[in-house]
Amino acid sequence: MAKLLVEPTEKGLWCESACVHVDPWRPVEAAVVTHGHADHATPGCGRYIASPETASILRIRYGIKAPIDELAPGEFRDVGSARVSLHPAGHILGSTQVRIEASGSVTVVTGDYKTDPDPTCTPFECVECDALLTESTFGLPAFKWPSDADVFDAVNRWWRGNVEQGMNSVVFAYSLGKAQRVLAGVDASIGPILVHGAVDNMLAPYHEAGIGLPETRKALVEAAKESAGRALIIAPPSAAGTPWMRKFTPCSTAFASGWMAVRGTRRWRAVDRGFVISDHADWDGLLDTVQRSGAKFVGVTHGYTRQFSRYLRDELGIDAEPVATRYSGEGESESEDEQVPSKQVPASGGAS
Ligand SMILES: [Zn+2]
Ligand SMILES: [Zn+2]
Protein backbone atom coordinates (compact mmCIF):
# COMPACT_ATOMS: atom_id res chain seq x y z
CA MET A 1 0.00 0.00 0.00
CA ALA A 2 2.79 2.33 -0.94
CA LYS A 3 0.41 5.12 -1.82
CA LEU A 4 -1.10 5.46 1.65
CA LEU A 5 0.95 6.55 4.65
CA VAL A 6 -0.78 3.77 6.63
CA GLU A 7 -0.78 0.04 6.02
CA PRO A 8 -2.91 -2.72 7.54
CA THR A 9 -1.14 -5.02 9.99
CA GLU A 10 -2.36 -7.66 12.43
CA LYS A 11 -2.96 -5.02 15.07
CA GLY A 12 -4.40 -2.28 12.94
CA LEU A 13 -3.44 0.45 10.52
CA TRP A 14 0.24 1.21 11.07
CA CYS A 15 1.77 4.54 10.19
CA GLU A 16 5.51 4.10 9.95
CA SER A 17 6.43 7.78 9.75
CA ALA A 18 4.43 8.74 12.86
CA CYS A 19 5.16 5.44 14.67
CA VAL A 20 1.47 5.11 15.64
CA HIS A 21 -1.45 2.86 14.81
CA VAL A 22 -4.71 4.44 13.67
CA ASP A 23 -7.80 2.82 15.27
CA PRO A 24 -5.94 -0.38 16.19
CA TRP A 25 -8.07 -3.43 16.99
CA ARG A 26 -5.45 -4.83 19.37
CA PRO A 27 -3.50 -3.02 22.12
CA VAL A 28 -0.48 -1.17 20.76
CA GLU A 29 2.00 1.33 22.12
CA ALA A 30 0.48 4.45 20.58
CA ALA A 31 -2.96 4.80 19.03
CA VAL A 32 -4.67 7.60 17.19
CA VAL A 33 -8.39 7.00 17.74
CA THR A 34 -10.92 8.48 15.32
CA HIS A 35 -13.98 7.94 17.56
CA GLY A 36 -15.38 6.02 20.50
CA HIS A 37 -17.13 3.07 18.83
CA ALA A 38 -15.79 -0.30 19.94
CA ASP A 39 -14.51 -1.35 16.52
CA HIS A 40 -12.24 1.72 16.48
CA ALA A 41 -11.29 2.13 20.13
CA THR A 42 -9.22 -0.55 21.88
CA PRO A 43 -8.46 -0.34 25.58
CA GLY A 44 -4.97 -1.32 26.73
CA CYS A 45 -2.85 0.88 24.50
CA GLY A 46 0.13 2.68 26.00
CA ARG A 47 -1.03 6.12 24.97
CA TYR A 48 -3.66 7.72 22.82
CA ILE A 49 -4.18 10.70 20.59
CA ALA A 50 -7.83 11.71 20.19
CA SER A 51 -10.14 14.71 20.08
CA PRO A 52 -11.15 16.05 23.52
CA GLU A 53 -14.70 14.65 23.14
CA THR A 54 -13.45 11.23 22.05
CA ALA A 55 -11.03 11.30 24.98
CA SER A 56 -13.93 11.78 27.36
CA ILE A 57 -15.83 8.91 25.69
CA LEU A 58 -12.74 6.66 25.94
CA ARG A 59 -12.51 7.34 29.66
CA ILE A 60 -16.22 6.80 30.39
CA ARG A 61 -16.92 3.91 28.04
CA TYR A 62 -13.71 1.90 28.33
CA GLY A 63 -12.30 3.18 31.60
CA ILE A 64 -9.08 4.10 29.84
CA LYS A 65 -6.52 5.41 32.31
CA ALA A 66 -3.59 5.66 29.89
CA PRO A 67 -2.50 9.15 28.89
CA ILE A 68 -4.62 10.68 26.15
CA ASP A 69 -3.06 13.50 24.19
CA GLU A 70 -6.12 15.61 23.39
CA LEU A 71 -5.76 17.14 19.98
CA ALA A 72 -8.40 19.70 19.05
CA PRO A 73 -9.67 19.37 15.48
CA GLY A 74 -7.61 21.50 13.12
CA GLU A 75 -4.58 21.63 15.43
CA PHE A 76 -1.30 20.13 14.20
CA ARG A 77 1.04 17.89 16.16
CA ASP A 78 4.48 16.60 15.17
CA VAL A 79 4.43 12.87 15.80
CA GLY A 80 7.58 10.98 14.83
CA SER A 81 8.58 12.35 11.48
CA ALA A 82 4.99 13.12 10.53
CA ARG A 83 2.56 15.96 11.09
CA VAL A 84 -0.75 14.74 12.43
CA SER A 85 -4.05 16.58 12.70
CA LEU A 86 -7.68 15.62 13.31
CA HIS A 87 -10.65 16.93 11.34
CA PRO A 88 -14.40 16.57 12.04
CA ALA A 89 -15.97 13.41 10.59
CA GLY A 90 -19.63 14.20 11.39
CA HIS A 91 -20.21 10.58 12.50
CA ILE A 92 -20.84 10.86 16.25
CA LEU A 93 -19.78 13.26 19.01
CA GLY A 94 -16.01 13.79 18.86
CA SER A 95 -15.48 11.77 15.68
CA THR A 96 -12.61 12.85 13.49
CA GLN A 97 -10.65 11.94 10.40
CA VAL A 98 -6.89 11.71 10.70
CA ARG A 99 -4.67 13.72 8.39
CA ILE A 100 -1.06 12.56 8.19
CA GLU A 101 1.61 14.52 6.37
CA ALA A 102 5.04 13.00 5.80
CA SER A 103 7.70 13.07 3.11
CA GLY A 104 5.77 15.65 1.14
CA SER A 105 2.63 13.55 0.91
CA VAL A 106 -0.74 13.77 2.66
CA THR A 107 -2.92 10.81 3.63
CA VAL A 108 -6.37 11.14 5.20
CA VAL A 109 -7.94 8.24 7.10
CA THR A 110 -11.64 9.01 7.35
CA GLY A 111 -12.62 6.58 10.12
CA ASP A 112 -16.43 6.46 10.04
CA TYR A 113 -18.04 9.59 8.65
CA LYS A 114 -21.23 11.13 7.42
CA THR A 115 -21.75 14.19 5.31
CA ASP A 116 -25.40 14.81 6.28
CA PRO A 117 -26.14 17.36 9.03
CA ASP A 118 -26.44 16.08 12.60
CA PRO A 119 -27.20 18.39 15.56
CA THR A 120 -25.21 16.16 17.93
CA CYS A 121 -21.77 16.58 16.40
CA THR A 122 -19.50 18.92 14.44
CA PRO A 123 -20.21 18.77 10.69
CA PHE A 124 -17.96 16.72 8.40
CA GLU A 125 -15.11 18.64 6.84
CA CYS A 126 -13.65 17.48 3.53
CA VAL A 127 -9.85 17.43 3.70
CA GLU A 128 -7.70 17.59 0.58
CA CYS A 129 -5.10 14.87 0.30
CA ASP A 130 -2.95 12.77 -2.02
CA ALA A 131 -4.24 9.46 -0.70
CA LEU A 132 -7.56 8.80 1.03
CA LEU A 133 -8.59 5.80 3.09
CA THR A 134 -12.39 5.93 3.11
CA GLU A 135 -14.97 3.72 4.78
CA SER A 136 -17.69 2.25 2.55
CA THR A 137 -20.28 0.87 4.98
CA PHE A 138 -23.07 1.97 2.64
CA GLY A 139 -21.05 2.03 -0.58
CA LEU A 140 -23.80 0.93 -2.96
CA PRO A 141 -26.01 3.21 -5.07
CA ALA A 142 -29.10 1.78 -3.31
CA PHE A 143 -28.21 3.74 -0.18
CA LYS A 144 -29.53 7.27 -0.30
CA TRP A 145 -30.65 8.84 2.95
CA PRO A 146 -33.92 10.74 3.30
CA SER A 147 -33.78 14.18 4.97
CA ASP A 148 -33.75 14.34 8.76
CA ALA A 149 -36.93 16.44 8.63
CA ASP A 150 -38.81 13.69 6.78
CA VAL A 151 -37.50 10.91 8.98
CA PHE A 152 -38.25 12.64 12.26
CA ASP A 153 -41.68 13.66 11.00
CA ALA A 154 -42.36 9.96 10.55
CA VAL A 155 -40.91 9.09 13.96
CA ASN A 156 -43.02 11.74 15.68
CA ARG A 157 -46.18 10.69 13.84
CA TRP A 158 -45.60 7.08 14.83
CA TRP A 159 -45.01 8.05 18.51
CA ARG A 160 -48.09 10.31 18.56
CA GLY A 161 -50.20 7.54 16.98
CA ASN A 162 -49.03 5.08 19.61
CA VAL A 163 -49.88 7.51 22.42
CA GLU A 164 -53.41 7.81 21.00
CA GLN A 165 -53.71 4.04 21.28
CA GLY A 166 -52.26 3.95 24.79
CA MET A 167 -49.07 2.22 23.62
CA ASN A 168 -45.44 2.89 24.45
CA SER A 169 -42.96 3.38 21.60
CA VAL A 170 -39.59 1.65 21.73
CA VAL A 171 -36.82 2.74 19.36
CA PHE A 172 -33.75 0.53 19.09
CA ALA A 173 -30.70 2.65 18.38
CA TYR A 174 -26.99 2.11 19.11
CA SER A 175 -26.22 3.54 22.50
CA LEU A 176 -23.42 5.86 21.41
CA GLY A 177 -24.27 8.30 18.65
CA LYS A 178 -27.49 7.02 17.15
CA ALA A 179 -29.47 7.13 20.41
CA GLN A 180 -28.46 10.74 21.04
CA ARG A 181 -29.25 11.69 17.47
CA VAL A 182 -32.73 10.23 17.87
CA LEU A 183 -33.15 12.13 21.14
CA ALA A 184 -32.15 15.37 19.47
CA GLY A 185 -34.58 14.82 16.62
CA VAL A 186 -37.82 13.84 18.33
CA ASP A 187 -40.58 16.19 19.49
CA ALA A 188 -40.26 15.93 23.26
CA SER A 189 -43.67 17.59 23.77
CA ILE A 190 -45.39 14.35 22.70
CA GLY A 191 -44.62 12.53 25.94
CA PRO A 192 -41.98 11.40 28.43
CA ILE A 193 -38.71 9.94 27.13
CA LEU A 194 -37.04 7.02 28.87
CA VAL A 195 -33.62 5.62 28.09
CA HIS A 196 -31.94 2.27 28.67
CA GLY A 197 -28.97 2.30 31.06
CA ALA A 198 -26.50 1.82 28.18
CA VAL A 199 -27.87 4.95 26.51
CA ASP A 200 -28.01 6.86 29.79
CA ASN A 201 -24.29 6.10 30.37
CA MET A 202 -23.40 7.77 27.10
CA LEU A 203 -25.32 11.00 27.72
CA ALA A 204 -22.66 12.61 29.91
CA PRO A 205 -20.17 13.41 27.12
CA TYR A 206 -23.01 15.03 25.17
CA HIS A 207 -24.10 17.14 28.14
CA GLU A 208 -20.44 18.04 28.74
CA ALA A 209 -20.14 19.19 25.14
CA GLY A 210 -23.29 21.31 25.48
CA ILE A 211 -25.33 19.36 22.93
CA GLY A 212 -29.02 20.16 23.42
CA LEU A 213 -30.93 17.00 24.28
CA PRO A 214 -34.44 16.72 25.76
CA GLU A 215 -34.94 15.65 29.35
CA THR A 216 -34.84 11.89 29.85
CA ARG A 217 -35.31 9.43 32.68
CA LYS A 218 -33.72 6.03 33.11
CA ALA A 219 -36.16 3.35 31.93
CA LEU A 220 -36.68 1.74 35.33
CA VAL A 221 -39.91 0.06 36.50
CA GLU A 222 -41.09 3.15 38.38
CA ALA A 223 -40.59 5.46 35.38
CA ALA A 224 -42.25 2.90 33.09
CA LYS A 225 -45.31 2.80 35.37
CA GLU A 226 -45.62 6.55 35.60
CA SER A 227 -45.44 7.10 31.87
CA ALA A 228 -47.28 3.96 30.75
CA GLY A 229 -48.85 4.20 27.32
CA ARG A 230 -47.18 7.53 26.43
CA ALA A 231 -43.44 6.98 26.66
CA LEU A 232 -40.78 6.91 24.00
CA ILE A 233 -38.13 4.44 25.10
CA ILE A 234 -34.68 4.42 23.52
CA ALA A 235 -32.72 1.22 23.92
CA PRO A 236 -29.77 -0.52 22.26
CA PRO A 237 -30.66 -3.24 19.71
CA SER A 238 -29.32 -5.86 22.12
CA ALA A 239 -32.35 -5.18 24.37
CA ALA A 240 -34.80 -6.38 21.69
CA GLY A 241 -36.67 -9.51 22.69
CA THR A 242 -35.23 -9.58 26.22
CA PRO A 243 -37.21 -9.65 29.50
CA TRP A 244 -36.12 -6.00 30.00
CA MET A 245 -38.80 -5.10 27.44
CA ARG A 246 -41.71 -6.53 29.46
CA LYS A 247 -42.30 -3.48 31.60
CA PHE A 248 -43.21 -1.48 28.48
CA THR A 249 -45.97 -3.68 27.06
CA PRO A 250 -48.10 -2.88 25.21
CA CYS A 251 -45.60 -1.21 22.90
CA SER A 252 -44.76 -0.64 19.28
CA THR A 253 -41.13 -1.15 18.28
CA ALA A 254 -38.87 0.46 15.70
CA PHE A 255 -35.26 0.19 14.60
CA ALA A 256 -33.24 3.26 13.57
CA SER A 257 -30.51 2.32 11.11
CA GLY A 258 -29.23 2.87 7.60
CA TRP A 259 -29.96 -0.81 7.01
CA MET A 260 -33.67 0.04 7.17
CA ALA A 261 -33.28 1.34 3.62
CA VAL A 262 -32.97 -2.26 2.48
CA ARG A 263 -36.01 -4.44 1.95
CA GLY A 264 -36.02 -7.55 4.09
CA THR A 265 -34.16 -6.25 7.10
CA ARG A 266 -37.37 -5.09 8.68
CA ARG A 267 -38.73 -8.58 8.86
CA TRP A 268 -35.42 -9.92 10.11
CA ARG A 269 -35.51 -7.41 12.95
CA ALA A 270 -39.02 -8.35 13.93
CA VAL A 271 -39.80 -4.72 14.70
CA ASP A 272 -42.95 -2.85 13.71
CA ARG A 273 -41.17 0.03 12.00
CA GLY A 274 -37.85 0.83 10.43
CA PHE A 275 -36.52 4.40 10.32
CA VAL A 276 -33.66 5.17 7.95
CA ILE A 277 -31.28 7.02 10.24
CA SER A 278 -27.61 6.40 9.65
CA ASP A 279 -24.40 7.79 11.05
CA HIS A 280 -22.49 6.88 7.91
CA ALA A 281 -22.26 8.59 4.53
CA ASP A 282 -24.64 7.34 1.87
CA TRP A 283 -23.57 6.61 -1.71
CA ASP A 284 -23.62 10.26 -2.79
CA GLY A 285 -21.83 11.32 0.40
CA LEU A 286 -19.03 8.82 -0.25
CA LEU A 287 -18.62 9.78 -3.90
CA ASP A 288 -18.70 13.48 -3.14
CA THR A 289 -16.02 13.07 -0.47
CA VAL A 290 -13.72 11.06 -2.71
CA GLN A 291 -14.02 13.62 -5.50
CA ARG A 292 -13.65 16.71 -3.33
CA SER A 293 -10.61 15.29 -1.52
CA GLY A 294 -8.70 15.37 -4.80
CA ALA A 295 -7.01 12.10 -3.81
CA LYS A 296 -4.96 10.38 -6.50
CA PHE A 297 -5.28 7.09 -4.67
CA VAL A 298 -8.26 5.83 -2.66
CA GLY A 299 -8.10 2.87 -0.30
CA VAL A 300 -11.54 1.49 0.60
CA THR A 301 -12.31 -0.19 3.88
CA HIS A 302 -15.20 -1.04 6.21
CA GLY A 303 -18.13 -2.28 4.10
CA TYR A 304 -18.67 -2.66 0.37
CA THR A 305 -14.94 -2.34 -0.30
CA ARG A 306 -14.81 -4.32 -3.56
CA GLN A 307 -17.89 -2.75 -5.10
CA PHE A 308 -17.04 0.81 -4.16
CA SER A 309 -13.39 0.64 -5.24
CA ARG A 310 -14.39 -0.98 -8.52
CA TYR A 311 -16.85 1.84 -9.18
CA LEU A 312 -14.17 4.45 -8.47
CA ARG A 313 -11.75 2.71 -10.85
CA ASP A 314 -14.12 1.82 -13.67
CA GLU A 315 -16.53 4.76 -13.66
CA LEU A 316 -14.41 7.63 -12.33
CA GLY A 317 -10.93 6.53 -13.39
CA ILE A 318 -9.56 6.90 -9.84
CA ASP A 319 -6.82 4.55 -8.69
CA ALA A 320 -8.61 2.67 -5.91
CA GLU A 321 -8.44 -0.65 -4.12
CA PRO A 322 -9.86 -2.39 -1.03
CA VAL A 323 -7.84 -2.31 2.19
CA ALA A 324 -8.52 -5.08 4.70
CA THR A 325 -9.42 -3.93 8.23
CA ARG A 326 -11.63 -5.27 11.00
CA TYR A 327 -14.00 -2.34 11.35
CA SER A 328 -17.51 -3.62 11.48
CA GLY A 329 -19.89 -1.03 10.04
CA GLU A 330 -23.17 0.11 11.44
CA GLY A 331 -23.27 -2.66 14.03
CA GLU A 332 -20.57 -0.68 15.80
CA SER A 333 -20.23 -1.20 19.48
CA GLU A 334 -23.01 -3.67 20.09
CA SER A 335 -22.56 -7.42 20.13
CA GLU A 336 -21.97 -9.49 17.02
CA ASP A 337 -25.59 -10.49 16.61
CA GLU A 338 -26.55 -6.88 15.94
CA GLN A 339 -24.68 -7.05 12.70
CA VAL A 340 -27.02 -7.35 9.79
CA PRO A 341 -26.06 -10.68 8.20
CA SER A 342 -24.55 -10.22 4.76
CA LYS A 343 -27.33 -12.24 3.16
CA GLN A 344 -29.78 -9.55 4.23
CA VAL A 345 -28.13 -6.80 2.25
CA PRO A 346 -27.79 -6.53 -1.49
CA ALA A 347 -24.89 -8.45 -2.89
CA SER A 348 -22.54 -7.14 -5.52
CA GLY A 349 -24.45 -5.84 -8.48
CA GLY A 350 -27.80 -6.42 -6.76
CA ALA A 351 -28.50 -2.74 -6.36
CA SER A 352 -29.11 -0.13 -8.97
ZN1 LIG B 1 -18.42 4.32 14.22
ZN1 LIG C 1 -16.87 1.66 12.44
Side-chain angles (χ1 to χ4, degrees):
M1 214 57 62
K3 298 150 185 166
L4 289 164
L5 291 169
V6 291
E7 56 175 335
T9 68
E10 255 179 30
K11 292 180 175 174
L13 292 168
W14 166 246
C15 175
E16 176 86 43
S17 40
C19 245
V20 294
H21 285 83
V22 178
D23 287 354
W25 40 85
R26 287 204 199 135
V28 296
E29 208 168 291
V32 179
V33 177
T34 60
H35 66 288
H37 279 147
D39 57 329
H40 296 258
T42 302
C45 298
R47 60 193 176 87
Y48 296 84
I49 297 175
S51 72
E53 287 148 343
T54 297
S56 129
I57 291 167
L58 293 178
R59 293 189 188 104
I60 295 173
R61 194 172 171 89
Y62 307 100
I64 286 173
K65 300 275 194 302
I68 305 175
D69 185 1
E70 298 185 14
L71 190 54
E75 212 177 279
F76 289 92
R77 182 83 89 240
D78 289 322
V79 185
S81 61
R83 243 185 146 204
V84 173
S85 55
L86 305 176
H87 303 269
H91 172 59
I92 62 164
L93 181 72
S95 65
T96 58
Q97 310 166 71
V98 185
R99 180 186 184 277
I100 303 165
E101 188 177 350
S103 335
S105 164
V106 174
T107 285
V108 168
V109 178
T110 65
D112 293 344
Y113 68 100
K114 87 169 163 294
T115 50
D116 285 356
D118 173 347
T120 65
C121 62
T122 312
F124 175 83
E125 181 191 303
C126 194
V127 184
E128 281 182 28
C129 57
D130 301 298
L132 177 72
L133 184 61
T134 178
E135 63 129 320
S136 60
T137 308
F138 293 106
L140 291 180
F143 294 107
K144 188 166 172 47
W145 307 146
S147 77
D148 258 30
D150 286 351
V151 172
F152 283 104
D153 252 17
V155 174
N156 289 328
R157 257 185 283 122
W158 166 74
W159 181 13
R160 222 175 267 121
N162 293 336
V163 171
E164 279 160 19
Q165 295 175 57
M167 271 201 299
N168 290 314
S169 309
V170 181
V171 176
F172 298 112
Y174 299 111
S175 54
L176 172 61
K178 191 70 63 68
Q180 292 76 13
R181 189 162 165 220
V182 170
L183 278 174
V186 295
D187 177 358
S189 72
I190 298 172
I193 304 175
L194 311 182
V195 294
H196 185 280
V199 174
D200 190 63
N201 282 341
M202 285 299 114
L203 292 179
Y206 284 79
H207 293 318
E208 245 173 60
I211 307 293
L213 297 177
E215 201 179 302
T216 55
R217 288 177 72 186
K218 249 179 150 174
L220 304 172
V221 178
E222 178 93 353
K225 264 189 200 149
E226 282 170 22
S227 52
R230 294 177 297 131
L232 177 73
I233 298 109
I234 302 183
S238 54
T242 66
W244 182 85
M245 293 283 298
R246 276 188 213 134
K247 53 183 175 285
F248 308 115
T249 37
C251 68
S252 178
T253 56
F255 188 48
S257 169
W259 297 114
M260 295 299 104
V262 182
R263 254 183 310 156
T265 24
R266 215 172 106 179
R267 192 174 19 162
W268 176 74
R269 277 276 157 194
V271 290
D272 302 316
R273 288 292 294 270
F275 296 115
V276 183
I277 304 175
S278 177
D279 284 333
H280 292 265
D282 65 4
W283 174 255
D284 288 343
L286 292 171
L287 281 183
D288 190 54
T289 301
V290 166
Q291 288 174 306
R292 283 169 56 213
S293 75
K296 309 280 180 302
F297 175 79
V298 179
V300 181
T301 179
H302 208 301
Y304 291 101
T305 54
R306 258 181 329 105
Q307 295 92 326
F308 191 58
S309 54
R310 196 196 306 134
Y311 184 92
L312 295 179
R313 271 196 319 273
D314 297 353
E315 303 298 324
L316 303 181
I318 296 172
D319 187 9
E321 57 189 70
V323 174
T325 62
R326 294 198 191 162
Y327 310 126
S328 55
E330 194 153 89
E332 299 298 358
S333 51
E334 314 295 340
S335 63
E336 288 273 310
D337 56 340
E338 259 79 57
Q339 309 297 321
V340 174
S342 53
K343 63 177 167 18
Q344 297 291 343
V345 297
S348 163
S352 55

